[in-house]
Amino acid sequence: MAKKYYITTPIYYPSGNWHIGHCYTTVICDALARFHRMKGEDVFFLTGTDEHGQKVEREAQKRNITPMQFIDPLVSELKDMWRLLDVEYSRFIRTTDADHIKSVQAIYQKLYESGDIYKSEYTGYYCTPCESFWTESQLKDGKCPDCGREVTLQKEESYFFRLSKYAPALLEHYEKHPEFLQPKSRVNEMVNNFLKAGLNDLSVSRTTVKWGVPLPFDERHTAYVWIDALCNYITALGYGSEDDTLFRRYWSADLHMVGKEIVRFHAIIWPAILMALGLPLPERIYGHGWLLIGGDKLSKSKQNARPELTDPYELVKRYGSDAVRYYLLREIPFGSDGEYTNEKFIGRINADLANDLGNLVSRTQAMIGQNFGGTVPPRGREEGPDGELIALCGAAFGKVEADMDALNAPDALADIFAVVARANKYIDETTPWLLARDPEKRERLAAVLYNLAETCRICAVLLKPFLPRAAGAVLAGMGREADGFDSLAFGGLKAGTPFVKTPPLFPRIDLKKELAELEKLVAAKKPATMSAPEAEKPATMSAPEAEKPAAKPEISFDDFTKLELKVGEVVACERVKKSEKLLHETVKIGSETRSVVSGIAKFYTPEEMVGKKVVVVTNLKPVKLCGVLSEGMILCAEDGEGRLSLVSPERAVDSGATVR
Ligand code: ME8
């Protein structure tokens, strides 16, 4: 029986605004799934969407539509993106799928009956964009320690999962299975920051969120979205349903691939739940790094201020899915973060795909066309550098396999491209164009061109999991589309096989011209000048990665008069320590003076602020930001690029004047 391989991506929030960072996890998983399929393994590759929770509920409410009306178009967009990127999954699970909901309920019931879930009261802080609970001591400057956004204090009846009970067993598992969580750097964080510090029981139900899975033993509560979401890895296989054939065939997961920001959920909460259910733990969890833009995690809001083209649909349209896949799989050192720029992206296409791979294939095809009528000549006697090229081809699969076992796609590609580079050097060394001029060297010419054609074939077979289209095109040019890893022995290519000139795999791009084009394209796509088709895209969620605020519901004049707006004069201003964004102003409003903190440090210096007349919301509940009291909010206008500009009265007005 074939060895099974069960691989999963996280399930995506239906947030829309998809960018190339979103594609990272799934493209890596697709390459791994394809690689294991080619090894003859029985692969199940799961991806999907995480559709419940407060975020979706609120976004739908804002638009006066149902959560499903909000989600459906976004799920279609995501599926389109995977289709465009040639991602071949076995199942796309949605947490709103009826079978998933039933299984989640069965899981809660089981944990409730075994005493691992109990009723109590939850008091703590909740970050809605991250759907995460925090204790006061875990907050960073009063904000969510993961994303830095506002949290809200919540107190409600809740069911709890006995997470604390599983800390010792989890620690033991980490000790016994050093390969459980990778890369190694993430283990220290989990073990030292969480497990050794002791775990608190986890609130796993909400009464305030209606858009979720109702608990079977108490319908006033819905399941905490993270538990609902994590369970997808087993519900997708039918765990807890009448037909659990797939579950018995594929569980446990061979690999959960996740972004580093969600390792905590996968490497602590998820295994504890599995332990409570009496199920085996996943073999491996891998926390990959991020694509960065300007040093920060790539997100649509970051994109706005940059010339980088990060829209996957646009990238695939312009450069083809293989180019996007190649960049993602090759450029970012695995496990680390990597900065994304247009220049690096095009640089990779030009250097590796157009120059190295494209040239090898097109030169080989051209020379076989000119000298042997477009069919592969017979293999000849080995001489000169032949042995080295053949040996490298022979060793390539072993290296690629070891790299892929270590989940290191960049190294796997580097190993394949080392063969490509060696073959290009081989052309320079053997100078087939000179051999072609001498009829006595025809046999040698044949041998050289055979070796090159066979190297093209072997590289194409190895590249299939990574660049399915380009690899397919090279192999189709030889009528060898079906070649798999069992065809890799050098010499498999038969003399007489056609290998005719095909359109270039990756046309070379004029870097300077293209960068200028991209800058124009991105500028034209900014929200202020959104093109018609762009504007017709379905409404997308503003949190966690706000692009443009959704239209707000109508309010009455009475609602408006609840706001107290006054003109104030900034009399002193300084930077807030430990914050790049915040300024602390002392604002004189009539006879009173207020302390106000505003997120405008990137746009105004403290010196510039002093003396400015500003509009202040004066009846906002005071809050502390980074430990500094803020007793109001200064109004700013935000342009399409996220730049802030103070709102000031047009004529001279005394401070304290009412704004209405
Ligand atoms: O976290 N670079 O979903 P999600 C690399 N629903 N990867 C990135 C990225 C970037 N700039 N931006 C996003 C969730 N990702 C939960 C998961 S699983 C039970 C629930 C990756 O839509 C991110 O790291 O926020 C994650 O792996 C994936 O996109 C989905 O993120």
Side-chain angles (χ1 to χ4, degrees):
M1 215 169 69
K3 193 173 162 225
K4 66 93 188 168
Y5 186 73
Y6 180 33
I7 178 168
T8 68
T9 73
I11 46 173
Y12 285 68
Y13 290 126
S15 58
N17 293 331
W18 310 111
H19 54 70
I20 190 173
H22 284 123
C23 306
Y24 188 53
T25 325
T26 303
V27 165
I28 295 169
C29 287
D30 182 66
L32 281 159
R34 283 172 183 267
F35 185 81
H36 284 270
R37 267 184 224 124
M38 279 184 71
K39 282 193 2 170
E41 292 173 17
D42 173 17
V43 173
F44 197 96
F45 168 22
L46 178 69
T47 189
T49 36
D50 184 355
E51 303 183 7
H52 288 128
Q54 206 158 45
K55 260 187 301 188
V56 167
E57 193 171 62
R58 283 188 185 161
E59 292 300 323
Q61 262 163 14
K62 262 196 227 167
R63 293 168 174 82
N64 224 355
I65 54 178
T66 64
M68 277 314 236
Q69 283 171 325
F70 172 70
I71 297 163
D72 277 341
L74 299 171
V75 173
S76 300
E77 275 185 17
L78 188 67
K79 285 185 171 174
D80 275 351
M81 186 160 95
W82 300 147
R83 195 178 38 76
L84 282 176
L85 283 163
D86 298 308
V87 169
E88 284 180 356
Y89 45 77
S90 314
R91 175 169 178 185
F92 187 102
I93 188 173
R94 301 181 55 173
T95 51
T96 49
D97 286 344
D99 64 332
H100 169 80
I101 292 175
K102 251 175 102 180
S103 297
V104 168
Q105 289 181 322
I107 290 167
Y108 266 83
Q109 186 70 39
K110 190 165 178 188
L111 296 177
Y112 184 58
E113 281 168 16
S114 66
D116 273 311
I117 282 182
Y118 63 92
K119 192 152 100 179
S120 183
E121 187 177 72
Y122 173 76
T123 316
Y125 294 86
Y126 196 69
C127 173
T128 306
C130 294
E131 304 276 15
S132 304
F133 295 107
W134 302 103
T135 59
E136 187 157 15
S137 64
Q138 286 173 322
L139 299 179
K140 221 170 163 182
D141 301 328
K143 303 257 176 71
C144 170
D146 269 359
C147 73
R149 280 177 274 217
E150 296 290 342
V151 287
T152 45
L153 182 63
Q154 308 217 339
K155 198 169 182 181
E156 64 182 67
E157 176 188 292
S158 177
Y159 285 90
F160 281 74
F161 170 62
R162 288 190 202 281
L163 186 59
S164 57
K165 174 174 146 190
Y166 292 96
L170 282 169
L171 262 175
E172 196 185 320
H173 191 80
Y174 272 91
E175 271 158 27
K176 281 201 186 139
H177 302 274
E179 74 296 348
F180 177 61
L181 175 61
Q182 294 175 9
K184 281 225 152 46
S185 52
R186 315 242 185 265
V187 176
N188 291 342
E189 197 192 336
M190 290 305 121
V191 170
N192 297 332
N193 295 5
F194 294 105
L195 290 175
K196 285 200 174 150
L199 298 174
N200 293 323
D201 287 354
L202 179 72
S203 161
V204 292
S205 78
R206 312 293 307 275
T207 50
T208 48
V209 180
K210 297 290 164 241
W211 183 239
V213 177
L215 299 197
F217 45 85
D218 189 342
E219 295 244 323
R220 291 173 306 124
H221 288 251
T222 55
Y224 170 40
V225 274
W226 263 102
I227 304 297
D228 171 7
L230 288 162
C231 287
N232 94 90
Y233 300 130
I234 52 176
T235 63
L237 301 177
Y239 176 81
S241 76
E242 291 100 61
D243 182 3
D244 64 354
T245 323
L246 289 177
F247 178 76
R248 281 184 280 112
R249 179 159 146 200
Y250 290 109
W251 189 257
S252 68
D254 293 270
L255 177 64
H256 288 317
M257 178 70 76
V258 302
K260 65 179 180 182
E261 78 282 14
I262 52 174
V263 163
R264 191 168 61 93
F265 296 95
H266 286 83
I268 292 185
I269 298 174
W270 179 228
I273 298 225
L274 289 168
M275 282 176 177
L277 291 170
L279 295 175
L281 304 196
E283 299 297 321
R284 242 192 309 189
I285 300 165
Y286 195 98
H288 67 68
W290 293 333
L291 256 74
L292 306 178
I293 192 160
D296 292 324
K297 183 179 177 204
L298 170 51
S299 65
K300 203 67 183 183
S301 49
K302 293 281 161 19
Q303 157 74 66
N304 279 343
R306 313 276 312 182
E308 267 67 47
L309 178 65
T310 57
D311 177 348
Y313 306 90
E314 199 67 54
L315 284 166
V316 171
K317 202 164 84 190
R318 251 179 129 72
Y319 309 106
S321 66
D322 277 356
V324 178
R325 289 174 67 102
Y326 185 75
Y327 175 84
L328 292 171
L329 293 165
R330 178 75 199 266
E331 180 68 25
I332 295 107
F334 210 45
S336 315
D337 296 339
E339 184 71 25
Y340 179 80
T341 65
N342 292 337
E343 196 167 346
K344 282 191 190 181
F345 180 83
I346 296 161
R348 270 289 174 200
I349 302 178
N350 273 345
D352 300 3
L353 300 181
N355 267 7
D356 292 354
L357 179 65
N359 266 345
L360 172 65
V361 173
S362 69
R363 282 158 96 193
T364 306
Q365 287 173 336
M367 290 185 291
I368 290 178
Q370 283 151 18
N371 299 290
F372 295 95
T375 55
V376 176
R379 185 175 179 185
R381 209 165 28 90
E382 264 181 47
E383 55 181 86
D386 298 6
E388 205 183 310
L389 179 65
I390 294 169
L392 209 59
C393 284
F397 177 70
K399 290 186 197 164
V400 172
E401 191 178 31
D403 295 328
M404 292 303 266
D405 282 348
L407 308 176
N408 195 335
D411 277 8
L413 281 167
D415 283 326
I416 303 171
F417 275 78
V419 183
V420 172
R422 184 66 192 86
N424 278 320
K425 189 170 157 220
Y426 177 82
I427 299 181
D428 298 339
E429 290 164 345
T430 53
T431 58
W433 59 93
L434 294 181
L435 297 174
R437 286 191 206 152
D438 184 347
E440 285 190 6
K441 302 225 167 110
R442 189 154 173 86
E443 214 173 299
R444 177 64 188 143
L445 175 65
V448 166
L449 294 182
Y450 178 90
N451 290 341
L452 285 170
E454 180 61 332
T455 305
C456 287
R457 186 185 70 86
I458 288 172
C459 288
V461 172
L462 291 169
L463 283 171
K464 270 183 164 184
F466 309 93
L467 310 178
R469 284 176 189 249
V474 174
L475 294 169
M478 311 173 158
R480 302 281 302 230
E481 296 94 320
D483 277 10
F485 291 156
D486 55 355
S487 76
L488 285 173
F490 199 94
L493 189 59
K494 299 257 176 315
T497 306
F499 193 33
V500 289
K501 194 124 182 79
T502 43
L505 295 174
F506 300 96
R508 217 189 132 70
I509 301 166
D510 180 328
L511 179 66
K512 234 171 128 184
K513 252 188 170 163
E514 187 69 7
L515 289 179
E517 280 278 312
L518 288 182
E519 207 155 316
K520 268 197 267 164
L521 185 81
V522 173
K525 277 201 159 277
K526 298 258 165 73
T529 51
M530 218 171 5
S531 63
E534 185 72 8
E536 279 160 18
K537 271 194 177 173
T540 48
M541 189 146 76
S542 56
E545 294 170 356
E547 181 177 23
K548 59 186 167 55
K552 292 187 179 158
E554 198 174 80
I555 58 165
S556 66
F557 184 70
D558 280 345
D559 284 335
F560 174 70
T561 54
K562 286 182 194 151
L563 275 180
E564 189 181 70
L565 301 169
K566 293 208 164 151
V567 172
E569 183 179 350
V570 179
V571 290
C573 183
E574 59 182 0
R575 288 186 184 280
V576 172
K577 280 191 202 102
K578 289 189 279 179
S579 167
E580 280 175 24
K581 291 190 190 144
L582 299 181
L583 290 184
H584 176 203
E585 300 94 358
T586 308
V587 186
K588 196 167 159 293
I589 303 167
S591 55
E592 102 182 279
T593 304
R594 292 219 188 170
S595 159
V596 178
V597 177
S598 347
I600 52 174
K602 286 198 176 148
F603 311 98
Y604 292 94
T605 61
E607 293 72 24
E608 273 178 289
M609 288 298 291
V610 175
K612 287 243 188 293
K613 286 268 172 65
V614 290
V615 176
V616 186
V617 185
T618 46
N619 62 338
L620 264 188
K621 195 169 161 202
V623 284
K624 272 198 168 174
L625 296 170
C626 278
V628 182
L629 181 68
S630 186
E631 304 164 288
M633 189 173 95
I634 292 182
L635 293 191
C636 285
E638 183 176 355
D639 71 7
E641 298 184 0
R643 282 187 300 244
L644 297 183
S645 181
L646 292 171
V647 172
S648 298
E650 195 226 339
R651 294 195 195 132
V653 185
D654 285 341
S655 83
T658 301
V659 178
R660 58 192 181 90

